[in-house]
Structures are given as structure tokens and as C-alpha cells.
Amino acid sequence: MSIISSDEIFMRAALREARRGLGRTSPNPAVGAVLVDGGKIITKGHHRKAGAPHAEIECLRDLKKAVPKNATLYVTLEPCSTTARTGPCTAAIIEAGVRRLVVGATDPNPLHAGRGVSLLRKAGLEVRTGVLEDECSALNEAFNKWITTKRPFVIAKCGMSLDGRLSRPPGETRWITSAASRRHARQLRARVDAILIGAETLRADNPRLTVRGPRGAKQPWRVVLSRSGSLPRQAHLFTDRFAERTIVYGHKDLSVILRELGQKEITSVLIEGGGEILGQALDQRLVDKVQLYLGPVITGGPSVGFAGAGMAATREAPKLKGIRYKKIGQDVCVTGYPTYDEIRSE
């Protein structure tokens, strides 16, 4: 087995550790670490929540003995080199006696990028970087945007018919997609900091916007946009046990609202509707990712998935990159990342 392939194998193990912290570490990134000696993982750890020890510290603390001379520490993100909620991981790694370190992604914070690696190399450690870098970076796509722009990563999610409608005709059940698709969609809630809807969605559906599993997942903030401020005070969002995590915004532009949420250390926002809000976000080029669930029905009707002004020409429409399709029963889930290229003359 080559060094390259073994490094990738153990970095994948560190990635599995990192995923255990998804949805729990904000405003910090999810990070995993494993310590390997003699081709075997002897200890592992992940960052559990902001203020708790980082993945490297968790991993080394659980060893209960001196780091073996030939051990390698694998970590999905460059170790921090500054004191914030916790001390610098670089100092802990050096003090523990680690001699070889393999890093997945570089710290996306431009103020810190490469600094941790440089300090460790100066201390005499052998450091390899960029192992499964794309996968390690993608794990923290929301953090990566927020730490560089202080604006949250925006995901547009909805279930729609094949003709792009959000609801069935009046008098029919309001669900277009299957229960399995709705369960799949709710997994997103456990991984974001806030869920945003419009006033009409609140009035029509009276949603709870709660996380229903996995155990231990934190409840996201619930954000309602209302021009009039006239909302049903008995709605679930104002009366349930998470009522204090509901925010109502009035006469403010969506981009301003997102900036304010970013200032509150909200790194990711899931827009769940309705069509007007989704359309506004798309028109203003605020959407970073889409997750659409298509049910095998054609409903017609006025409730369009992405309303708003739309594009003046097809060539101006955002194109999706990184597209994935997942079949869920008879439904199809489509995910992708809009690209907002400048208008090209034909």
C-alpha cells in the first residue's frame, strides 16, 4: 500500500469523525481527527460544539499515553493557531509530541490560512497538506462562506410538482412529495442555523420548523418575513417551546436581513418558502445551493416554486454545477449550486 493511498484511507476515517459534528459546531466548522500507528487507528475525536475542545485535542486526550514515535495525526482542517474560545491546537499538537501530521483542507479564514501549518513545520513536524482537500472543504461549505464574507450560506429548498408548483388545487392534500421525501428534507434542518419563511407560508401552513431527529441536534432559529407584521399570534412558531428562537423581520430587503443574521453568527440559512421569498432570493443572486424535491404530479395553479421577476433571457438564468439526483420512491431530489455568470452576448 502506498503512502498516498494510506493517507487517503485514514483521512476518510477523519472525515467520518467530522460528520458526527455536523449541525452542532456552528459558528465553528465540523472537524475530525484520527491518530494512526502501525497502520491502525489508535484514537479518534471530533469537534462537538463551539467552546468544546477541537478535534485534535479530543483525539490526543483520549490516547491516555504518550504519542508513539512513528504515529501520524490526520485532521480534516488545518489546526488553529490562535486563542479564541479554546487554546491553539498547534501548541497542543507540538506539546503532545506528534511528529507527522496530515491535513485535509487549509483554514479558509484568510487571516489564518497556512499559519498553523507553518508553525508546525517550524517546530520540526513533517506536515502533508491537501489530502482529500475538496471533500474536507465541502464538508464545511457554510462555514467557508461565512468566515470570509460574514454572510450565511443560503440553501433554497422546496417540494414541487413537475410543472414547478408548490401546492395542489384548493381542497386537496397540501403534500406534493412523499413522506419519505419530507423526512429526507427535514434532515437539512438539523444542519443549518436558521430556517426562513414568508408570512404567507406561516398563515397557510402554520409550520413548526422543528428538528425531528437526530438526537441531540440543536433547534435552528426560525425567521419570518412579514411586510405588515400582522401574523397569527397563536401560530406554533410563537407558542411552542422554541418560541424564543423565532425572529420576525418587517420592511427590510432580504440581502440586509441575511447580513444581519450573519452578524448574529448564523452561518447557514435554509429558505423553505414560499415561492415569493424563494424568487426574491434567486433574483438577488443570494442562493448558494438548491435542494428541490419533484413529485410525479402536474398540478397547475398560481403557486409557483420560484416566483419573482425572473430573468430577462434564458442565457441570464443561473446554471447549476455539482448537480446530484437522488430517487426517493417516486420522487426525485435535485441538488446543485447556482452559478451567476455575467450576461454573455450571443
Side-chain angles (χ1 to χ4, degrees), residues 145 151 154 225 227 252-259 271 276-288 306-311 318 340:
K145 178 187 177 182
R151 289 174 175 265
V154 177
L225 275 54
R227 294 190 186 94
K252 286 188 177 181
D253 186 78
L254 183 56
S255 64
V256 174
I257 292 170
L258 291 171
R259 184 170 64 245
I271 301 180
E276 183 180 344
I277 301 298
L278 289 165
Q280 285 180 31
L282 192 65
D283 286 348
Q284 296 182 45
R285 303 187 172 195
L286 300 173
V287 176
D288 297 294
F306 287 81
M311 305 300 159
Y340 302 102

Side-chain angles (χ1 to χ4, degrees), residues 57-331:
I57 308 303
E58 281 266 335
C59 182
L60 295 170
R61 184 178 63 184
D62 286 350
L63 184 58
K64 309 296 185 186
K65 63 178 181 180
V67 173
K69 179 180 178 180
N70 295 318
T72 297
L73 178 64
Y74 294 82
V75 60
T76 56
L77 184 66
E78 178 182 6
C80 66
S81 56
T82 57
T83 300
R85 289 181 171 94
T86 60
C89 291
T90 49
I93 291 170
I94 294 168
E95 184 178 351
V98 174
R99 299 190 181 188
R100 182 172 187 263
L101 177 74
V102 177
V103 175
T106 301
D107 190 335
N109 187 337
L111 298 177
H112 302 153
R115 185 168 180 237
V117 167
S118 178
L119 287 171
L120 291 168
R121 283 175 172 158
K122 286 180 180 178
L125 277 75
E126 175 191 345
V127 182
R128 184 182 179 206
T129 61
V131 175
L132 300 184
E133 183 172 11
D134 290 344
E135 293 179 48
C136 291
S137 180
L139 187 73
N140 291 300
E141 57 189 8
F143 173 80
N144 295 344
K145 178 187 177 182
W146 177 79
I147 199 64
T148 55
T149 67
K150 292 306 176 186
R151 289 174 175 265
F153 186 84
V154 177
I155 306 169
K157 187 271 288 184
C158 64
M160 61 173 64
S161 63
L162 291 177
D163 55 336
R165 266 56 179 184
L166 295 181
S167 60
R168 292 179 185 266
E172 299 289 333
T173 175
R174 66 189 177 102
W175 300 120
I176 288 176
T177 57
S178 66
S181 287
R182 297 195 298 276
R183 285 193 298 270
H184 185 271
R186 283 197 292 266
Q187 293 175 10
L188 269 176
R189 293 181 182 173
R191 295 187 176 187
V192 299
D193 292 342
I195 305 167
L196 185 149
I197 63 171
E200 288 306 313
T201 298
L202 177 67
R203 296 187 187 105
D205 298 341
N206 191 19
R208 297 181 183 273
L209 305 184
T210 52
V211 174
R212 301 163 207 177
R215 290 177 58 186
K218 66 178 182 180
Q219 170 60 42
W221 288 93
R222 294 148 345 157
V223 181
V224 183
L225 275 54
S226 172
R227 294 190 186 94
S228 69
S230 177
L231 298 170
R233 303 316 300 176
Q234 295 306 308
H236 296 309
L237 300 191
F238 305 125
T239 57
D240 67 10
R241 62 194 180 100
F242 299 115
E244 73 280 357
R245 294 186 68 79
T246 299
I247 307 172
V248 177
Y249 281 97
H251 295 276
K252 286 188 177 181
D253 186 78
L254 183 56
S255 64
V256 174
I257 292 170
L258 291 171
R259 184 170 64 245
E260 292 185 8
L261 292 176
Q263 292 169 353
K264 297 177 185 290
E265 295 192 335
I266 290 175
T267 67
S268 54
V269 173
L270 175 63
I271 301 180
E272 290 207 10
E276 183 180 344
I277 301 298
L278 289 165
Q280 285 180 31
L282 192 65
D283 286 348
Q284 296 182 45
R285 303 187 172 195
L286 300 173
V287 176
D288 297 294
K289 183 177 184 178
V290 297
Q291 187 150 320
L292 310 178
Y293 295 84
L294 304 178
V297 293
I298 300 174
T299 68
S303 185
V304 179
F306 287 81
M311 305 300 159
T314 302
R315 68 177 183 275
E316 299 176 27
K319 308 297 190 296
L320 294 186
K321 64 179 181 179
I323 303 175
R324 293 185 179 182
Y325 302 93
K326 180 180 179 65
K327 194 170 185 295
I328 306 174
Q330 291 187 321
D331 301 337

Side-chain angles (χ1 to χ4, degrees), residues 36-71:
V36 176
D37 185 43
K40 295 182 179 179
I41 296 174
I42 58 175
T43 185
K44 53 191 176 181
H46 67 279
H47 186 39
R48 298 175 185 274
K49 64 178 182 179
H54 290 183
E56 305 93 315
I57 308 303
E58 281 266 335
C59 182
L60 295 170
R61 184 178 63 184
D62 286 350
L63 184 58
K64 309 296 185 186
K65 63 178 181 180
V67 173
K69 179 180 178 180
N70 295 318

